[in-house]
Every structure is written in C-alpha cells, then in structure tokens.
DNA sequence: ATTAAAAAGTAACTTTTATTACAGAGTGTC
DNA sequence: GACACTCTGTAATAAAAGTTACTTTTTAAT
C-alpha cells in the first residue's frame, strides 16, 4: 500500500535504484488531521517525503500566534527539513497535517550520500528548493501587498482546490489563525464576501463559488 | 585586484581547483550604487558571486511598489539565480546595488557541471539556500508580526550594521520604498524614534544609537 | 425537549496605517 | 541674496484591521 504510493508519487522523480533504496530504508508514518508532524525547535533527523494527504507549514510569532506559509502536496518534501543536514538541526517551522496524511521518513545521512552520488535525488532537492522559494515569495506578496479580504478569498480558493472541493470545512477561528488575524475580522470579511456572492456561509463550512 | 577579492572572499568556500576555474571562467562586473543588477523578468544566464559591496533584493507588487526582502554581503550569492538552471529562467526579484559593488558572473552551465562533480560547490549552494531561506522567513516575520515602527527601527540598525557605521545615509522616501509604505508614515515614525532617543535625524542622514 | 457548549453575527470603539495637503527648512545655482 | 528645487514636518482625515463585549444560531448531550 505504502509501496504503491511511493511508486505512484515518486517513480517519475527518482531512478529505480533510488526508489528501491528509499523503499528499503525509509519508514512510513501516518498522521491524522491536525497532528503536528514537525514542531518548531524540534531536531530534524529525517527528511519526509509526502506520500498522501496535505501538510501545512506554519510560522509562529513570539506570542505563539501562527501564520500559514504554504501547503505541501503528495510527491513533495519539506525543504526546511533539507537544511537539517547543514548546520542547523532544529526546525524553524511547524508542519501540521491538513488532513490524514502518510509520509516516508528518510534518515538525514542518506540525504548526504544520495546527494553525492545520485543525480535524480540532486535534481529533486534542487527543484524542491525552487518550488518552496517561489511559495515563500508568494507568501511574502500575500502578506505585504494584499488586503485581508483578498488574502482571505485567495486562501479559501487555495484550500478548496487543495481538497478538490467547492467546500472549505473550517471554523472562522481556524482561518483566523492561519491568516494571523482575529476571528471577528474573519467573520466580518467572510460576511462581506458572502454579500459579494463569492461564497456561501454555513456552520463549519464555506462554499466557494467560481473556483479557478 | 578582482582576483584578490575572489581569493579573499571565497578561498575558504571553494577548493583551489574550483577557485582557479572560477577565476578563469567568471567575468567581473562592477556596479555603482543604485544600479539595477538583475531586474524582474530578466532572463538569468549567470550566477553572480558578490566580491565586494552589498546588494539589496527586492520584490515588486502589481503597481510597481517595492519591498526589500534582504541584503546580500560579499562572499554570498543570490539564490534566486541558482534556480535559473532549473526550468525557470526569469528573475522573480530585482537586485539593486546598495553601494558600489563588484561581482563575478558564472555561466549557468558551470553550475550544472560543478554541482555534479565538485563537493565544495555543492555545499556552497546548499548553504546559500539555507541562508536565503532563513532570511525569507525573517522577512515574513517582519512584515507579518511586527509593527511599522519596529520594522523601521530594525531596518535602520540592519542598514547601519551593513555599512559598519552609525549613520544611515538615506532619504525618508527611500526608506518608505524599501518598507513598502509612504514617506509620510516614515517621517512620522522616525520623529517618534527620535523622541524615544533611539535615533537623531538630519537631512539625508540618520544617526542610529546603540547599534547591536 | 431542555440545556450547555461551540460557532457565528454584529455593534461600538481603538489602534494602526494610509492619504491628502500644505508649510517650512535646507541646498545649490545664478 | 533670490530663486528653484528637494527634503522634511505635521495636521486633518480616511481606511483597514484589531479589540471588546454581547447576542443569536446551531449542535450535541442528557
């Protein structure tokens, strides 16, 4: 089952030798929605490859308030973890299961070895870096250039797409935390978006029209 | 002269063979303060290594307003450029000379080759990625979690340190652009900081007390 | 069905940041 | 020194976001 997922998501990424090694060496871990997969300041000993589900990557301020930076999808890795083999071993971010997810964890030593001798691994790492970089830039754009209403709407569309659904299952409080604002602000802006006929509100659930 | 700088800044980073190759292959370019080194959407054909001076990396919104993301110092590279050899060839950021600067430009092909066969180059790239990553996270923290007055003060200290001086030579307008706000806001907050005895204002120049 | 708890709605108010408009201060040129 | 120009100071106002406090709606538990 896990093997199937590994092949399904990574066969086109890694050469067959590497896939077999990953299969042999990596250990599968599963997480339920809202489980903390990696926490801030936690030492990083494994590189996680996401087999199924979604993970959200969060940053925390000094008062413990969060900010969503981006989501990971199956077939991706958390680039933050990659930097663990260089100097810093403590996570600077929190990774939380956006829904039930399964990962394959690879010890950092292999990162080093494969990076040295496997082209497909090197390319995967470099591409991951680029993807994350782009997403960090987008996160910066969002918070620096956009108003809260726009950020909220984009967030809803993004989240709906992630779940391939027109419905976002979430409480206003959850959304407020992801966007680093207060529940009252989110409720107000959601109501505005509803008045603009962009969404439809109900308890624990938001229908998003015109996705993409 | 340029050779000296190359050795001074990079001898401890690259092995001696690689240094010699860089010396042979790379071309030196010099820029004056405020010159645009790389612009948004510009195709990237070279990886720049900063030999002397400082570079600021900016992001632009849809109206052409900027936001400073971070500064580069001698001995560093612009990680954005690294991603050029993967798919994307157009710059997503603008690089501007913070002061007179010199760079050595390396054709992207070498990036690939050295990445394949040179350990010191690989490590440099990975370390660069990590450093930039950390700075992106810090940039996110700044804009997401800090008030403008704090951001401004941090910016001033940062900039003073960069120039190893107690004085920041800049107009309020310049600062406003880096922080993506308006001149009036900056003037107001600077006056506040002056009242708090943290800085001293004069025309085109700000003295910053208690640096670090 | 009654009750308690959770989630959402909303009004009133404050704070922060942005905008507009203009006055004054400093600098360089003739 | 008069003039033009750039830079800075500041007041008044507006908009966006944050906060407090309370109400209403929905759901789950008994």
């Amino acid at each position: 089952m896990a093997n199937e997922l590994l092949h399904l998501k990574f066969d086109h990424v890694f050469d067959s030798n590497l896939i077999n090694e990953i299969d042999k060496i990596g250990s599968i871990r599963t997480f339920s929605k809202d489980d903390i997969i990696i926490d801030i300041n936690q030492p990083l000993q494994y590189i996680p490859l996401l087999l199924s589900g979604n993970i959200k990557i969060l940053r925390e301020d000094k008062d413990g308030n969060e900010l969503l930076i981006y989501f990971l999808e199956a077939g991706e890795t958390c680039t933050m973890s990659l930097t663990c083999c260089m100097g810093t071993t403590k996570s600077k971010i929190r990774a939380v299961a956006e829904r039930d997810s399964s990962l394959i964890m690879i010890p950092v030593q292999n990162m080093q070895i494969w990076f040295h001798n496997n082209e497909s691994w090197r390319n995967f790492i470099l591409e991951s870096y680029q993807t994350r970089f782009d997403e960090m830039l987008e996160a910066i754009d969002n918070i620096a250039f956009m108003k809260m209403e726009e950020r909220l709407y984009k967030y809803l569309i993004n989240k709906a797409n992630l779940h391939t659904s027109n419905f976002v299952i979430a409480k206003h409080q959850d959304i407020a935390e992801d966007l680093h604002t207060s529940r009252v602000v989110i409720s107000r802006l959601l109501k505005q978006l509803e008045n603009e006929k962009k969404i439809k509100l109900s308890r624990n659930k938001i229908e998003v029209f015109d996705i993409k």
Side-chain angles (χ1 to χ4, degrees), chain A residues 98-110:
Chain A
E98 162 78 6
R99 59 161 106 184
D100 294 356
S101 300
S102 61
L103 292 86
I104 186 159
M105 311 293 272
I106 298 166
V108 291
Q109 303 92 283
N110 294 280

Side-chain angles (χ1 to χ4, degrees), chain A residues 141-153 189:
Chain A
D141 287 352
N142 291 345
I143 51 181
F145 302 148
M146 290 167 72
K147 284 198 288 188
M148 193 55 83
E149 188 184 342
E150 296 175 271
R151 286 177 59 199
L152 174 58
Y153 188 50
L189 294 175

Side-chain angles (χ1 to χ4, degrees), chain A residues 13-145:
Chain A
V13 177
F14 302 126
D15 63 47
S16 54
N17 283 338
L18 186 53
I19 284 274
N20 290 335
E21 270 210 77
I22 290 174
D23 199 359
K24 201 171 62 193
I25 289 168
S27 56
I28 305 287
R29 292 194 59 188
T30 59
F31 294 89
S32 305
K33 178 168 157 52
D34 295 328
D35 281 355
I36 294 178
I37 296 170
I38 299 167
D39 209 346
I40 291 162
N41 286 327
Q42 184 181 320
L44 296 167
Q45 287 143 337
Y46 298 92
I47 294 145
L49 303 180
L50 187 52
L51 296 178
S52 67
N54 292 112
I55 293 174
K56 55 182 182 179
I57 304 297
L58 307 161
R59 185 85 170 149
E60 198 183 56
D61 75 4
K62 60 186 187 317
D63 302 318
N65 302 307
E66 297 182 335
L67 172 77
L68 171 68
I69 304 183
Y70 52 73
F71 290 104
L72 292 181
E73 298 181 59
E76 299 184 328
T77 188
C78 176
T79 320
M80 311 276 177
S81 316
L82 302 178
T83 63
C84 61
C85 59
M86 326 286 307
T88 323
T89 54
K90 288 184 173 180
S91 177
K92 297 198 163 78
I93 51 85
R94 176 174 300 136
V96 175
E98 162 78 6
R99 59 161 106 184
D100 294 356
S101 300
S102 61
L103 292 86
I104 186 159
M105 311 293 272
I106 298 166
V108 291
Q109 303 92 283
N110 294 280
M111 160 87 185
Q112 295 279 38
I113 297 165
W114 294 339
F115 203 80
H116 186 74
N117 65 23
N118 187 293
E119 175 105 40
S120 66
W121 179 258
R122 269 200 299 271
N123 284 336
F124 173 69
I125 297 302
L126 283 185
E127 276 173 36
S128 298
Y129 268 123
Q130 163 154 25
T131 313
R132 278 340 120 206
F133 238 98
D134 289 351
E135 288 187 305
M136 296 268 277
L137 283 178
E138 200 179 336
I140 288 176
D141 287 352
N142 291 345
I143 51 181
F145 302 148

